[in-house]
Every structure is written in structure tokens, then in C-alpha cells.
Amino acid sequence: MAVEIVAALLTASGIAYGLLALVGARAFERDSSKQVVSGFAPGVSILKPVKGVDPRMYAGFVSHCRLVYAGEIELLFGVRSLEDAAVTEVARLRVEHPAMNIRLVECPVLLGSNGKVSSLAQMLPQAKFEHVVVNDSDILVSPEYLAKVMAGFGEAAEQQIPFGNDTQKSNDRQKSNDKYGSRPVGLVTVPYIGLAHGTVWSKLEALGISTDFMAGMLTARKLEGGIRFGLGSTLATTKTALAAIGGFEALVDQLADDYEMGARLAAAGYRVELVHEVVATTVPAYSLRGFCEHQLRWARGTRDSRRAGYLGLGVTYVLPWALAAVIASGGALWSFSLLSVALLVRVGVALTVGVGILQDGQVLRDMWLLPLRDCFGLFFWAWSYAGDTIVWRGERFRLKRGELQRVEDRA
């Protein structure tokens, strides 16, 4: 009886979370309808640390050379060594897109455990412009990407109030000022989808990005009145804002450097803006082992970044709890009714966020994997509390309050 009651309560909590996620998604859609591309077009330095050659990486490079933007753009690639395989791809890009200002920066010094951020710290002094955009090597963007991201700055682009009568615009701006005060925008970030690459494990991760992670982000945005973290899909900021938090050097040992950058900028008095411009990243063709290592690294990184919020994450995986209620109750009619409601809400969130907001067609194709995705999600959530070690690019690290410490292999 006790197990039955606990499972039912956890299922009800998961359903309540799903409804909150739908409210958060609706709020984001409503706010996004007020965003327009402004005339704010400062010069921008795009920083892309690279290591090796990843699937679809070059396509991501090319998409940045096809940006439609009124201001100047420079594209900086950072490598640890000029012998890196990515150097050949950058050279190819220069030949095929001679009109784009493309530079290669060697970043030979390892400043901390996070190699990517170490490279960024060495790339930033080479950047020509005050505004900088950081994104991962394989990020695929639309031609309007940079214009929309930069529109998130200018007075928050005056909160991007759309055209209308002067009285209405004045009232909308006043509401915006009441909500945000006069804090300047220090970081603009965007949602993203994962493009699955072959295996069922790759599909499960991509499905989780669009239907779990992004839904959770929109829920947090609604509950907290905005976001106070960044997403590695896009970190657009300024040199001035970075200096206020100690620059990239202050983040060289952080696993969740994107989250930490946003959190520190918010703590320093800056605003973090989420712009409705969806980009895409590549999800590798994971084996089961690779999938587990990546999911566990993600789970433990999130656990250390948002300890209080992460504790409640377990209830969001509603389908395993609903199935547990069915089993614990011996298949009672009420438990099947609860399962039906849970499934309806779970699918509703997947369709609203994954398909409606993110325009991710993979969600429809892989919808049948949702129960399995939830079961894995709950498993990794529980497993994340069983230790503090992770594997990243073949190296083992120990996490201590979000910081990476190398674990030396014993001979």
C-alpha cells in the first residue's frame, strides 16, 4: 500500500510539472512574439574552439559564412596545436569563403581542466570587436542567426517592443522596466536541438534534448522570472561583461562553463536573454557505453550546478512512476487512468516544446521512444548521486562543486 501511494504521488507531481512546462512554453512563445530584429548590428567576433573533426562540423562552419548581417563579422577558430586535424578544415573554409574574415588562433597553454575554455581565454585577446559570440564547433545556424542574437542586446533591444500605437508601446516598456529594472544585457543565449546520428542511443539523447532539457529550461524561466544561466549552443556577450566576472580564466576548471558564465553574469547584475532562434548540434552515433558516459557527465554536471532544482528533477520523469503505480496497485483501474493522464501530458509537452517551439521533426519520428527515454532519465538521475567521477573525451575527472579535477590512472 505504501509503495502504491508513493508511486501515485510521484506520478501526480510529474503531471503537475508537465502542466507547468506547458505554461512555461506558452509564456516563451508569447514573449518571443514581441521580439523583432532591430537595427542593432555592432561588429562581432565569433569564437569557435575546435579539436579534431566531428561529423557535420564543416557544415556548421559553412553556415556561419552564410550569415546575413549588417555589421562586420570575424570568425576565429582556436586550436591547441597547428597539427590538429581541424586546421585543414579551417584552411578549406578560407578557400571556399574568401569574403569571410577567418583567422586561426593557436592556444598552446592549458590553463585548466576545461580545454575549451582554456582556448577561449587565449582567443579573446585576439578578438577585434567588443561583442563576442561563442558556440560549439558543430553548431549549425540559419542566415538570420546573428541578427536575431544581437537584437537581444540593444537596450535588450528596448525589450524588442513590436510596432503599435505609442501608448501601447510605452505601457509595454514600462512593464518591461518593472520586471527587469535597468540591468544591462550581459548574455544572450538560444535554444537548440540535437541531430541524431544513426544509433538508437543517439536518438534517445536527441529526444531528451528537445523534450526534457528544453522543457525544463522553459519551466525554470517561467518560475524564476527569466533565466540565469547560459547554453553552450550560443553564448553572446561583451568583453566588458566578461571582465566583470574575471574573464574566461575564471571558468577554466568548470565542467558546466556555459551555465556558470550565465550564473556569474546574473550575479554581477547583468541580464541573460533567451532569444527564439533555434540552432542545431550533432549527437554522435553513440554506443551504449558512450551514451551512458555522456548522460552521466551531463547529469552530474547539472547536479553540481543546480543542486536544489536537480533534487526535484526525478519527479519529472513521469512515465516510470506511472508504470510503477500500475504495478504496485496490481493493475487497479485508477492506476491505468493515472497512466493515461501522465502519457497525455508527457506527449503534450513533447509536441508543444519539441515540435511547436523547436521545430524538431525528429520528435514525431521517435515519439515511441519516450517511455524508454524517461526510464533512462530517471536511472541517470539516481545514478548521478552515486559518485562524483565523469569521463570526458577519454579522460577521467572528479567533480567538486562543479570544478573538474583530473583523476590520474593507476599503473
Side-chain angles (χ1 to χ4, degrees):
M1 178 64 74
V3 174
E4 180 180 336
I5 293 173
V6 169
L9 289 174
L10 289 170
T11 303
S13 298
I15 291 171
Y17 163 79
L19 295 175
L20 275 175
L22 292 172
V23 172
R26 179 69 186 97
F28 179 63
E29 282 189 307
R30 183 176 61 249
D31 293 343
S32 297
S33 68
K34 299 177 182 179
Q35 294 175 345
V36 296
V37 177
S38 70
F40 185 69
V44 179
S45 299
I46 301 176
L47 312 183
K48 295 181 78 70
V50 292
K51 182 179 180 181
V53 178
D54 298 322
R56 301 177 184 169
M57 184 180 80
Y58 190 74
F61 288 0
V62 170
S63 71
H64 286 74
C65 294
R66 294 175 176 169
L67 291 168
V68 177
Y69 184 65
E72 291 186 70
I73 307 171
E74 65 170 356
L75 192 53
L76 273 66
F77 294 92
V79 291
R80 286 282 308 281
S81 166
L82 295 180
E83 301 300 316
D84 194 291
V87 172
T88 302
E89 297 297 278
V90 174
R92 174 187 169 193
L93 191 71
R94 280 173 164 167
V95 171
E96 294 182 359
H97 298 274
M100 174 62 75
N101 181 7
I102 299 171
R103 288 193 282 146
L104 184 66
V105 180
E106 187 178 14
C107 310
V109 182
L110 186 61
L111 301 174
S113 298
N114 189 321
K116 180 185 77 173
V117 181
S118 179
S119 293
L120 287 171
Q122 295 167 77
M123 295 169 70
L124 187 64
Q126 304 299 319
K128 177 181 177 182
F129 301 111
E130 166 70 4
H131 286 79
V132 295
V133 173
V134 177
N135 59 30
D136 292 335
S137 60
D138 65 339
I139 291 293
L140 187 69
V141 303
S142 74
E144 297 79 25
Y145 163 76
L146 194 57
K148 291 183 178 179
V149 168
M150 287 299 109
F153 280 100
E155 289 273 27
E158 290 191 44
Q159 238 349 88
Q160 298 307 317
I161 304 303
F163 293 110
N165 66 69
D166 292 340
T167 301
Q168 181 61 46
K169 287 192 287 183
S170 176
N171 290 339
D172 286 345
R173 287 194 184 95
Q174 183 60 50
K175 290 178 181 177
S176 174
N177 290 336
D178 291 342
K179 181 178 180 180
Y180 295 106
S182 58
R183 291 182 294 152
V185 174
L187 183 69
V188 176
T189 194
V190 304
Y192 66 99
I193 64 171
L195 300 177
H197 204 71
T199 67
V200 67
W201 312 113
S202 182
K203 291 178 180 179
L204 281 170
E205 179 158 310
L207 187 64
I209 291 171
S210 291
T211 67
D212 294 342
F213 179 70
M214 286 298 152
M217 180 195 64
L218 296 179
T219 305
R221 178 181 180 273
K222 177 62 178 177
L223 292 176
E224 298 173 10
I227 64 171
R228 293 170 180 81
F229 52 88
L231 302 175
S233 55
T234 291
L235 298 167
T237 185
T238 64
K239 291 181 178 179
T240 300
L242 279 172
I245 62 169
F248 287 118
E249 289 84 352
L251 304 171
V252 293
D253 287 315
Q254 296 290 324
L255 172 62
D257 54 275
D258 49 359
Y259 178 93
E260 195 65 28
M261 181 191 294
R264 294 188 185 195
L265 285 169
Y270 287 96
R271 286 166 50 191
V272 179
E273 287 288 316
L274 179 67
V275 172
H276 193 176
E277 170 63 9
V278 181
V279 300
T281 187
T282 298
V283 180
Y286 288 121
S287 63
L288 175 58
R289 179 175 180 175
F291 171 72
C292 290
E293 288 179 347
H294 189 251
Q295 289 294 302
L296 188 60
R297 183 174 81 239
W298 203 348
R300 287 181 174 162
T302 305
R303 179 201 67 189
D304 275 22
S305 298
R306 293 176 63 89
R307 286 184 172 271
Y310 186 76
L311 187 61
L313 184 65
V315 303
T316 67
Y317 301 110
V318 66
L319 295 182
W321 296 122
L323 288 170
V326 171
I327 295 170
S329 68
L333 180 60
W334 66 265
S335 67
F336 279 103
S337 298
L338 194 63
L339 174 61
S340 298
V341 174
L343 186 60
L344 179 64
V345 171
R346 183 71 177 92
V347 170
V349 170
L351 291 175
T352 300
V353 178
V355 180
I357 292 178
L358 301 178
Q359 299 290 299
D360 184 1
Q362 299 172 118
V363 173
L364 292 174
R365 181 196 67 194
D366 299 330
M367 187 76 72
W368 64 278
L369 289 171
L370 273 178
L372 186 59
R373 170 62 217 176
D374 272 14
C375 289
F376 270 113
L378 183 60
F379 171 73
F380 287 118
W381 171 79
W383 191 10
S384 70
Y385 286 105
D388 57 4
T389 59
I390 63 164
V391 177
W392 190 15
R393 287 187 178 269
E395 294 186 76
R396 294 183 68 81
F397 296 89
R398 178 171 288 108
L399 270 181
K400 185 176 181 180
R401 292 288 176 179
E403 291 194 355
L404 293 162
Q405 300 176 344
R406 273 191 174 82
V407 176
E408 298 297 334
D409 292 330
R410 296 178 180 178

